[in-house]
Amino acid sequence: MRTKLKNGIILATGENGDFQVLEGCSLVVNDKYIEYIGPEDDAPKADVEKDMKGRILMPGLVNSHCHGPMVLLRGIGGGLALQEWLETAIFPIEDKLIPEDVEIGERWAVMEMLASGVTCVSEMYDFPAKTWDVLKSSGIKGNVCRVGLSFSETEEIPKNRFNECISLVKDFKDENDRVISELCLHSEYLTNETFVRKIAEANSELHANINVHVSETKREHEECKARHNGLTPIGYLEKCGILNEHTYAAHCVWVTEDDIAIMAEKNVSAVFNPSSNCKLASGFAPINEMLKADVNVGIGTDGTASNDNLNMFEELHLGALLIKNIKSDATLLNAEQVIKMATVNGARALGRKDTGELKVGKRADIIAVSMDKPHMYPAFNIPNLLTYSAQGSDVVMTMVDGQILYENGEYKTIDAEKARFEMKKCIERIYA
Ligand SMILES: [Zn+2]
């Protein structure tokens, strides 16, 4: 089936990789792919036509680090420092969660993301089979893992956990590649060396992505050095053979110059989590240094317990402001670069080279941003407007692989009323 999006302002990607803002053009989607971008006169005929006047069409946002089911813990423990926050607010509630809760929470998270323009998300949480099912049935793209954990330093590899990590990658396949299973190491501090090395060894055959938290807090970074003869988390993970182009590392707040050089050499991607790092006062990730070293950087919301929403437009906005202010340099990081981090670079981090850009031949992961509200006019510079002025609530259409999943407040693949009812029941139970 062909769908034509007419009369919109299109944030297309040119041959050189730069954005081109096209007005008065049409974008035609054929099945899952973008077939045509150009003047209406030359556009192929379509089965469905949608008028996008007053809408900006841009690539869907890629939330490159998230723990979706944490919507069940939205905002709890606000104001506590990280360790206390985890021990007194988060863990006691997480201990109560059953697989059905994760399913309900993930569905609620997907609704929030679709309504604010996310077309692809990286998920790391317990009961990944439930997350997988929700992503698959909703139609959103996502990477899913079994959280890699092996708590004690001296513990043998916990065989069950290791096997679950591997079997998720082997057994969970989506013929359309909308949902991809991958490997995970929660972090250096929650895995032992044997476990990390076993995952590295297994991945030399599996070639899956590896999702890992790195140097989120100063304490984590320093304790790793004390445990491993001065090696930082990146240095240690490199020694264990886990770093390569399939690895993407969330946070990277305390990474050093040497760490950044290793990440560049090994083609490791980083994920910037501006709101979460600010809320937990974890510090400021050296994003500018990473970009200068050609490290691929995506953007993520992290879980809602430390954000407290899944609105990627806020991350674009805050991320851009932070990077400029850390260096007291307003010329750093233009809006185009920020949008790329939240789209094509995030897609690359998640091992998805066929999306993240509005370009012929790419997957049709497209969102429409309304320009109706006062804060969206005048529109002198579209990338600037999207980065500094647009809100998640301006999104009026979210399309994944050519299929519209959300349009003008309506979900096409999710029963929103039922989801709200289940969410309410679930919250009442876990906080009783
Ligand atoms: Zn995280």
Side-chain angles (χ1 to χ4, degrees):
M1 188 181 90
R2 278 204 178 106
T3 306
K4 184 186 287 183
L5 306 175
K6 281 171 77 170
N7 301 322
I9 295 177
I10 304 172
L11 190 68
T13 301
E15 278 315 309
N16 60 1
D18 289 341
F19 283 131
Q20 295 175 324
V21 177
L22 306 174
E23 293 195 40
C25 286
S26 291
L27 185 154
V28 179
V29 171
N30 190 352
D31 189 24
K32 304 185 241 197
Y33 296 95
I34 298 172
E35 183 182 32
Y36 175 86
I37 301 175
E40 168 58 21
D41 289 350
D42 301 327
K45 289 212 172 347
D47 307 289
V48 178
E49 288 195 359
K50 289 195 172 277
D51 187 10
M52 289 288 153
K53 194 166 166 32
R55 311 284 183 245
I56 300 167
L57 298 175
M58 69 176 287
L61 300 168
V62 178
N63 185 351
S64 299
H65 185 67
C66 186
H67 311 280
M70 288 186 96
V71 292
L72 298 166
L73 295 89
R74 192 191 305 272
I76 68 165
L80 296 177
L82 182 87
Q83 215 54 37
E84 202 188 347
W85 173 76
L86 279 173
E87 283 161 14
T88 66
I90 303 298
F91 292 155
I93 296 296
E94 286 192 324
D95 282 348
K96 293 189 189 174
L97 299 183
I98 57 172
E100 286 65 33
D101 299 332
V102 166
E103 183 179 351
I104 290 165
E106 180 64 19
R107 188 170 293 112
W108 197 245
V110 167
M111 286 170 66
E112 184 177 349
M113 287 190 276
L114 287 176
S116 53
V118 172
T119 52
C120 184
V121 59
S122 164
E123 287 292 9
M124 185 201 288
Y125 211 66
D126 277 346
F127 311 118
K130 291 290 182 191
T131 302
W132 175 283
D133 287 346
V134 172
L135 297 176
K136 185 89 177 93
S137 65
S138 74
I140 197 171
K141 289 186 177 172
N143 289 23
V144 183
C145 59
R146 175 74 172 120
V147 186
L149 291 171
S150 53
F151 285 100
S152 142
E153 278 292 294
T154 52
E155 190 185 8
E156 290 286 301
I157 349 163
K159 276 213 175 59
N160 286 347
R161 180 67 77 145
F162 177 77
N163 291 341
E164 284 165 20
C165 287
I166 301 298
S167 66
L168 188 89
V169 172
K170 285 188 172 165
D171 302 341
F172 283 69
K173 304 270 183 205
D174 172 15
E175 68 281 7
N176 295 313
D177 282 341
R178 282 206 205 181
V179 189
I180 294 176
S181 53
E182 63 186 17
L183 293 171
C184 167
L185 295 170
H186 179 277
S187 53
E188 172 275 331
Y189 62 97
L190 291 184
T191 47
N192 66 32
E193 189 164 338
T194 316
F195 189 88
V196 179
R197 287 186 181 278
K198 286 283 285 181
I199 291 280
E201 198 183 295
N203 209 33
S204 58
E205 280 174 32
L206 293 169
H207 306 295
N209 305 305
I210 303 173
N211 188 357
V212 57
H213 291 103
V214 166
S215 298
E216 178 177 1
T217 64
K218 187 163 192 205
R219 174 174 160 181
E220 165 201 341
H221 189 81
E222 294 303 324
E223 286 182 354
C224 172
K225 281 162 61 183
R227 267 192 294 269
H228 300 290
N229 284 329
L231 286 176
T232 61
I234 284 287
Y236 163 78
L237 292 171
E238 186 202 20
K239 187 189 86 171
C240 296
I242 205 86
L243 299 185
N244 56 51
E245 74 274 19
H246 301 297
T247 319
Y248 62 108
H251 301 294
C252 299
V253 174
W254 293 93
V255 292
T256 62
E257 233 174 89
D258 288 347
D259 290 340
I260 292 173
I262 294 172
M263 292 170 78
E265 190 204 319
K266 299 283 180 185
N267 282 317
V268 171
S269 294
V271 182
F272 185 24
N273 297 278
S275 295
S276 172
N277 295 157
C278 282
K279 188 170 185 224
L280 293 173
S282 302
F284 304 104
I287 299 298
N288 193 49
E289 285 76 358
M290 290 190 229
L291 294 176
K292 270 210 282 204
D294 271 337
V295 172
N296 180 51
V297 182
I299 301 184
T301 58
D302 207 357
T304 52
S306 60
N307 186 306
D308 295 342
N309 61 39
L310 302 174
N311 177 0
M312 281 287 286
F313 278 96
E314 274 187 9
E315 304 304 314
L316 266 80
H317 189 167
L318 180 61
L321 299 182
L322 281 175
I323 291 168
K324 291 172 189 296
N325 273 277
I326 296 160
K327 294 279 171 194
S328 304
D329 185 350
T331 66
L332 287 180
L333 201 78
N334 60 38
E336 283 89 346
Q337 284 175 292
V338 184
I339 295 172
K340 281 182 187 171
M341 282 162 68
T343 55
V344 65
N345 295 358
R348 196 175 132 203
L350 271 53
R352 296 170 180 270
K353 293 195 176 111
D354 56 358
T355 185
E357 293 173 305
L358 301 191
K359 205 172 174 181
V360 171
K362 293 279 177 179
R363 299 278 198 119
D365 299 332
I366 304 168
I367 61 173
V369 180
S370 165
M371 300 169 80
D372 291 347
K373 296 260 174 70
H375 63 269
M376 293 298 279
Y377 184 81
F380 295 124
N381 179 316
I382 295 298
N384 264 315
L385 193 71
L386 291 169
T387 300
Y388 294 108
S389 200
Q391 306 292 315
S393 52
D394 293 325
V395 172
V396 289
M397 185 203 75
T398 302
M399 174 190 271
V400 176
D401 271 2
Q403 182 190 4
I404 294 175
L405 303 181
Y406 172 84
E407 195 173 23
N408 299 319
E410 264 182 39
Y411 297 91
K412 311 286 185 184
T413 52
I414 296 172
D415 182 340
E417 220 168 294
K418 186 167 167 238
R420 180 177 289 275
F421 173 77
E422 286 176 347
M423 184 70 180
K424 202 163 169 272
K425 249 181 30 187
C426 177
I427 293 293
E428 280 166 8
R429 185 181 65 75
I430 55 183
Y431 291 94

